[in-house]
Amino acid sequence: MSVLFVEKIEATHTDYDTIIVRFSGEIGIKSDWTRRTYEKQVLQNIKYYLKKDNVKPEKIVHTRGRIYIKTSNVSPTSQVLTRTFGVSSVSPAKQTTSDLNAIFEATVSIAENTINEGATFAVRCHRVGTHTYNSLEVCREVGGQILAKLKHRNLAVNLTEPNVTLTVEVRDKDAYVYTQTLPAPGGFPVGAQGKTVCLLSGGIDSPVACWLVMKRGSFSVPIYVDNAPFTDETAKQKAIQTAKKLQEWSAGFMNKIYLVSNGENMKKILQEAPARFTCLLCKRLMYRIAEQIAQKENAYGIVTGEAIGEQASQTIQNLCAIDEAAKLYPILRPLLGFDKNETEILARKIGTFELSTQKAKGCTAAPNQPATQAPLTALQEAESKLNISEMVQSAIKTTKVLTL
Amino acid sequence: MSVLFVEKIEATHTDYDTIIVRFSGEIGIKSDWTRRTYEKQVLQNIKYYLKKDNVKPEKIVHTRGRIYIKTSNVSPTSQVLTRTFGVSSVSPAKQTTSDLNAIFEATVSIAENTINEGATFAVRCHRVGTHTYNSLEVCREVGGQILAKLKHRNLAVNLTEPNVTLTVEVRDKDAYVYTQTLPAPGGFPVGAQGKTVCLLSGGIDSPVACWLVMKRGSFSVPIYVDNAPFTDETAKQKAIQTAKKLQEWSAGFMNKIYLVSNGENMKKILQEAPARFTCLLCKRLMYRIAEQIAQKENAYGIVTGEAIGEQASQTIQNLCAIDEAAKLYPILRPLLGFDKNETEILARKIGTFELSTQKAKGCTAAPNQPATQAPLTALQEAESKLNISEMVQSAIKTTKVLTL
């Protein structure tokens, strides 16, 4: 999935005055009401980013399935957009009228600045509305004009594998010319779906899980369960820094992180429960803590970075045994089917990989030989010797909410 | 994630006599016991496939982190391997000894058949063990020999972007020469994890979800809940055909599909519950049916193809409300963070897309205006007027197990 967006923008030609923003295809097939709501949310999120980055476009036009942003400053605007969920792609473009001569002029001018000596090119045309010409005629005529005007460059037309593709989009009285379609992350705009909470550790996986859920429109409130003194301050700082990075993708929705101290509870687990169950009991406790916060936040699910078999606590049997602790909310695990390297590829694109891989002390409470197939009954028996609800409450009492 | 494997094998040079099989990187970082168990499972699955395809290799050698398959028939063997979970990549290779002259001979012979007139090439060398030469010397000497022996072809060395890369792997007394590294699907071998069950519809998503869970080592038993007369026979046949396709990835583990008739229950739901809740009540019923089968199968989770917001029943609020119906098992939703087009890309690679997109009657029980934010209490109230446990039991009584 990580193949579907890039961060880097190559062409930011000064001829361009407009950015064409295309909504995710999945938004277009929603019912009318949902489509309008989602498109509005995308627009609102774009406006948030533009304001935050102090980019002031001259005009924003929202039509069905598209947004046109008029700006003389396409580069920073495109940057913002390729990080906006609900957008499938963007094209920096030159706007002109649907008059054929105006199209020729705009296209030749862009061709002059994008097609190098000896290169090949193709012209494509999409047309909506009634015009005195058809698309094929546009392609042929524009191609001819470019060959004539740039004769000294020895250009050639190549329709299958051109070096440069010039696209002319004619929409009623307007026309747009562009050479690039920059992929954006797709999905739904943050805010389109109900809220979730996310158990954010200092590791690689949980930020990616959180990102994937945001990509599908659900703003996820991060929770860091601090097992100090079994983990160190670095782990906590990593989680906070990661939340700040995820905030960049959240269109302003993510603005805080819950910090919960769980070290005292871990001491009790280590003292009173079989060592091989430590991580599983810790996870069950974290789910319950997350449930309390989810209730407070009016959220609808708990996001975790668990992938089948990635760690001992994540075997299918163990996932089954720990899942039972969450009675009120679904545990949402978008990475279930991911290999570690696939998660890492995505973490790099999101921008959390570097933060997640900073050195920190591993959790010293983890046993050498963790159970890989713990029966639920055995975990429940171990918990019966602990006062679980009191442990949850005492952890919740330590909660600090840090503004990001 | 779908970027990480291909199905097509290009080079199947007759010089080759060995296939180098590399385990997924994630297997290599497991504890010794787990690593050995997983590697053995990969080997067992490979042997299953080879036997099934009637491919008879001369010899299979399993060393740490690698399998070497000696065969004169590299093409069908490679085909099998690029569909085997737990394998990250394979290379058809020529085996020889670590004697420098033997390496020269093998490399020049392969170069002769793989490097075209005027092309560029590079030689790389990996070495394990003690030898009278180092890796750099191998590269330099082999490169020189190729240039000399194939002088008439006007070849050139290019270390950054060569047309052909010849790799020499020296392992103690053996050496292997190859030009291709074919990606395989990665993950863990089917059978490495506990069993799950999978709610397989006739649609695009659920087979991909099932495949992803199998990719992580969990064999998933397919269940088709048949809502006829609200769906048609084609939908059922699509599910069966899809299960057969998934079977090809299961290394022999998947050999049956559960077929459960649920039409009578749907009639009751339509008669007695608010129309906007139909799909949600249907899903809650399906989860409960799947739980019964999971218990019978000693499985540890229920796999579904749900993605956040993809359908009205899959909003975050609705996922929260329907999840509650599954009391005994986690609902495993590996597609939660996938966009529809990402699922489709994967479905095409898996080979289920064509089957899933055959025309079938959509479920006629689905309402025009389904609830997108159903409160759990409202669903529970609707269910209180139905005899849910009797409905589950009467559906279970209709269960047929079809051998694939």
Side-chain angles (χ1 to χ4, degrees):
Chain A
M1 53 199 344
S2 50
V3 296
L4 297 174
F5 71 98
V6 291
E7 286 176 38
K8 213 178 147 195
I9 293 149
E10 284 155 12
T12 52
H13 198 270
T14 49
D15 273 344
Y16 299 137
D17 55 18
T18 303
I19 295 171
I20 304 175
V21 181
R22 300 176 192 89
F23 294 110
S24 300
E26 239 179 306
I27 294 178
I29 54 170
K30 292 282 178 202
S31 70
D32 250 19
W33 186 88
T34 307
R35 182 184 57 73
R36 276 199 302 270
T37 310
Y38 281 25
E39 288 192 358
K40 269 184 205 158
Q41 185 71 56
V42 174
L43 187 61
Q44 189 179 312
N45 294 357
I46 288 174
K47 284 179 177 170
Y48 165 85
Y49 280 127
L50 292 175
K51 195 176 171 190
K52 190 167 168 285
D53 285 16
N54 207 22
V55 180
K56 290 172 185 156
E58 286 98 69
K59 202 173 153 192
I60 300 181
V61 181
H62 176 197
T63 66
R64 180 173 176 149
R66 291 281 171 94
I67 293 171
Y68 297 92
I69 302 178
K70 296 290 294 175
T71 176
S72 55
N73 209 353
V74 296
S75 180
T77 316
S78 305
Q79 277 288 1
V80 160
L81 293 164
T82 53
R83 293 174 85 85
T84 306
F85 295 121
V87 175
S88 68
S89 67
V90 300
S91 290
K94 167 79 181 167
Q95 186 180 358
T96 185
T97 69
S98 61
D99 174 73
L100 257 189
N101 284 323
I103 291 173
F104 293 157
E105 198 183 325
T107 318
V108 170
S109 153
I110 288 181
E112 208 166 346
N113 289 312
T114 51
I115 316 179
N116 294 329
E117 175 79 29
T120 59
F121 73 98
V123 181
R124 318 243 186 251
C125 178
H126 313 298
R127 215 171 45 80
V128 177
T130 313
H131 304 97
T132 56
Y133 47 80
N134 65 31
S135 298
L136 196 63
E137 284 163 352
V138 173
C139 296
R140 213 179 313 161
E141 289 291 322
V142 168
Q145 295 255 350
I146 292 172
L147 286 173
K149 293 271 168 75
L150 303 178
K151 202 175 173 186
H152 55 287
R153 289 206 193 159
N154 298 312
L155 308 183
V157 170
N158 179 336
L159 296 180
T160 48
E161 279 193 342
N163 298 123
V164 177
T165 302
L166 284 143
T167 305
V168 180
E169 258 187 51
V170 191
R171 295 214 153 199
D172 299 318
K173 290 183 175 174
D174 296 315
Y176 302 88
V177 182
Y178 58 85
T179 60
Q180 268 202 304
T181 296
L182 305 164
F188 297 134
V190 183
Q193 287 288 327
K195 207 195 276 184
T196 49
V197 299
C198 175
L199 282 165
L200 200 68
S201 75
I204 296 168
D205 301 340
S206 53
V208 178
C210 181
W211 184 90
L212 282 168
V213 168
M214 290 211 293
K215 167 171 165 271
R216 296 295 293 176
S218 169
F219 153 49
S220 203
V221 181
I223 302 168
Y224 177 71
V225 179
D226 188 356
N227 280 340
F230 302 101
T231 52
D232 63 6
E233 180 64 18
T234 318
K236 183 172 156 186
Q237 290 307 322
K238 277 167 67 178
I240 294 168
Q241 292 308 314
T242 306
K244 283 187 180 164
K245 179 54 78 177
L246 289 170
Q247 188 185 32
E248 294 175 16
W249 293 92
S250 79
F253 281 89
M254 189 184 280
N255 47 36
K256 63 185 175 188
I257 180 169
Y258 279 81
L259 304 172
V260 185
S261 297
N262 196 44
E264 290 305 312
N265 288 334
M266 287 307 291
K267 282 182 195 167
K268 280 190 198 115
I269 289 174
L270 281 178
Q271 278 160 13
E272 294 173 38
R276 68 188 184 282
F277 294 157
T278 307
C279 297
L280 298 174
L281 296 173
C282 171
K283 284 225 169 183
R284 284 172 63 93
L285 203 53
M286 288 204 282
Y287 288 175
R288 291 176 177 115
I289 290 167
E291 283 200 318
Q292 300 278 316
I293 297 172
Q295 275 193 305
K296 203 179 151 208
E297 284 282 343
N298 294 317
Y300 293 94
I302 298 163
V303 180
T304 74
E306 288 147 341
I308 297 171
E310 202 224 314
Q311 291 181 17
S313 64
Q314 296 168 18
T315 63
I316 278 285
Q317 288 93 337
N318 282 349
L319 287 178
C320 185
I322 61 179
D323 196 90
E324 189 268 352
K327 302 277 188 197
L328 304 171
Y329 294 97
I331 307 290
L332 303 170
R333 304 176 173 106
L335 300 185
L336 275 176
F338 277 55
D339 283 2
K340 190 73 180 180
N341 58 339
E342 294 168 327
T343 303
E344 287 177 3
I345 290 168
L346 207 40
R348 284 179 201 276
K349 298 210 174 190
I350 296 166
T352 53
F353 185 81
E354 295 297 323
L355 297 167
S356 304
T357 49
Q358 280 168 12
K359 251 193 179 166
K361 188 173 89 170
C363 180
T364 55
N368 285 330
Q369 296 204 303
T372 54
Q373 300 183 34
L376 172 59
T377 48
L379 297 182
Q380 285 168 331
E381 199 199 314
E383 284 177 348
S384 71
K385 288 164 194 161
L386 300 158
N387 190 335
I388 292 292
S389 73
E390 197 183 283
M391 286 165 79
V392 173
Q393 289 320 315
S394 70
I396 287 291
K397 272 183 201 148
T398 71
T399 302
K400 282 180 190 140
V401 180
L402 185 76
T403 304
L404 292 172
Chain B
M1 53 198 346
S2 50
V3 297
L4 297 176
F5 72 98
V6 291
E7 286 176 39
K8 212 177 147 194
I9 292 149
E10 282 156 12
T12 51
H13 197 271
T14 49
D15 272 344
Y16 299 137
D17 55 18
T18 303
I19 295 172
I20 304 176
V21 181
R22 300 176 193 88
F23 294 110
S24 300
E26 239 179 306
I27 294 178
I29 55 171
K30 292 281 176 202
S31 71
D32 251 18
W33 185 87
T34 307
R35 182 185 58 72
R36 276 199 301 270
T37 310
Y38 282 26
E39 289 192 357
K40 269 184 205 159
Q41 186 71 57
V42 173
L43 187 61
Q44 189 178 312
N45 294 357
I46 288 174
K47 284 180 178 168
Y48 165 85
Y49 280 126
L50 293 174
K51 195 175 171 191
K52 189 165 169 287
D53 286 14
N54 207 21
V55 180
K56 290 172 186 156
E58 285 98 69
K59 203 172 153 192
I60 301 180
V61 180
H62 176 197
T63 67
R64 182 174 174 147
R66 291 282 172 95
I67 292 171
Y68 298 92
I69 302 179
K70 298 290 293 176
T71 175
S72 54
N73 210 354
V74 295
S75 180
T77 316
S78 305
Q79 276 288 1
V80 160
L81 292 163
T82 53
R83 294 175 84 85
T84 305
F85 295 121
V87 175
S88 68
S89 68
V90 301
S91 290
K94 166 80 183 166
Q95 185 179 0
T96 183
T97 70
S98 63
D99 175 71
L100 257 190
N101 285 323
I103 291 173
F104 293 157
E105 198 183 323
T107 318
V108 170
S109 152
I110 288 182
E112 209 167 346
N113 289 311
T114 51
I115 315 179
N116 294 329
E117 175 80 29
T120 59
F121 73 98
V123 181
R124 319 245 185 251
C125 178
H126 313 299
R127 216 171 44 80
V128 177
T130 314
H131 304 97
T132 56
Y133 47 80
N134 65 31
S135 298
L136 196 63
E137 284 164 352
V138 173
C139 295
R140 211 179 315 159
E141 289 291 324
V142 168
Q145 294 256 351
I146 291 171
L147 286 173
K149 293 270 168 74
L150 303 179
K151 203 174 173 187
H152 54 288
R153 290 207 192 159
N154 297 312
L155 307 183
V157 170
N158 180 337
L159 296 180
T160 48
E161 279 193 340
N163 298 125
V164 177
T165 303
L166 284 142
T167 305
V168 180
E169 258 187 49
V170 191
R171 295 216 152 198
D172 299 316
K173 291 185 175 174
D174 297 313
Y176 301 88
V177 182
Y178 58 85
T179 59
Q180 268 202 305
T181 297
L182 305 164
F188 296 135
V190 183
Q193 286 287 326
K195 208 196 276 186
T196 49
V197 299
C198 176
L199 282 166
L200 200 68
S201 74
I204 295 167
D205 301 340
S206 53
V208 178
C210 181
W211 184 90
L212 281 167
V213 168
M214 290 211 293
K215 166 171 166 272
R216 297 295 294 174
S218 169
F219 153 50
S220 203
V221 181
I223 302 168
Y224 177 71
V225 179
D226 188 356
N227 279 340
F230 303 100
T231 52
D232 63 5
E233 179 65 19
T234 318
K236 182 172 156 186
Q237 289 307 321
K238 277 166 69 178
I240 294 169
Q241 293 308 315
T242 306
K244 283 188 179 163
K245 179 55 76 175
L246 289 169
Q247 187 185 34
E248 294 174 15
W249 293 91
S250 80
F253 281 89
M254 189 184 280
N255 47 35
K256 63 184 175 188
I257 179 170
Y258 280 81
L259 304 172
V260 186
S261 298
N262 197 44
E264 291 304 314
N265 288 334
M266 287 308 291
K267 282 182 195 166
K268 280 190 198 113
I269 290 174
L270 282 179
Q271 278 161 12
E272 293 172 38
R276 68 187 184 281
F277 293 158
T278 307
C279 297
L280 298 173
L281 296 173
C282 171
K283 284 223 169 183
R284 284 172 63 93
L285 203 53
M286 288 204 282
Y287 288 176
R288 292 177 176 115
I289 290 167
E291 283 201 319
Q292 299 278 317
I293 296 172
Q295 276 193 305
K296 203 181 151 208
E297 284 283 341
N298 295 316
Y300 293 94
I302 298 164
V303 180
T304 73
E306 288 147 341
I308 296 171
E310 202 225 314
Q311 292 181 16
S313 63
Q314 296 168 17
T315 64
I316 277 286
Q317 289 93 336
N318 281 348
L319 287 178
C320 185
I322 60 178
D323 196 88
E324 188 268 351
K327 303 275 187 199
L328 305 170
Y329 294 97
I331 306 290
L332 304 169
R333 305 176 173 104
L335 300 185
L336 275 176
F338 277 56
D339 283 2
K340 190 73 181 181
N341 57 340
E342 295 167 327
T343 303
E344 287 178 3
I345 289 167
L346 206 40
R348 285 178 201 277
K349 297 210 177 192
I350 297 166
T352 53
F353 185 81
E354 296 295 323
L355 297 168
S356 303
T357 49
Q358 281 168 11
K359 250 193 179 166
K361 188 172 88 169
C363 181
T364 55
N368 284 330
Q369 296 204 304
T372 55
Q373 301 184 33
L376 173 58
T377 48
L379 297 182
Q380 286 168 330
E381 199 198 315
E383 283 177 349
S384 71
K385 288 166 192 157
L386 299 159
N387 190 335
I388 293 292
S389 72
E390 197 183 282
M391 285 165 80
V392 173
Q393 289 321 315
S394 70
I396 288 291
K397 271 183 202 149
T398 70
T399 302
K400 282 181 189 137
V401 180
L402 185 76
T403 304
L404 293 171

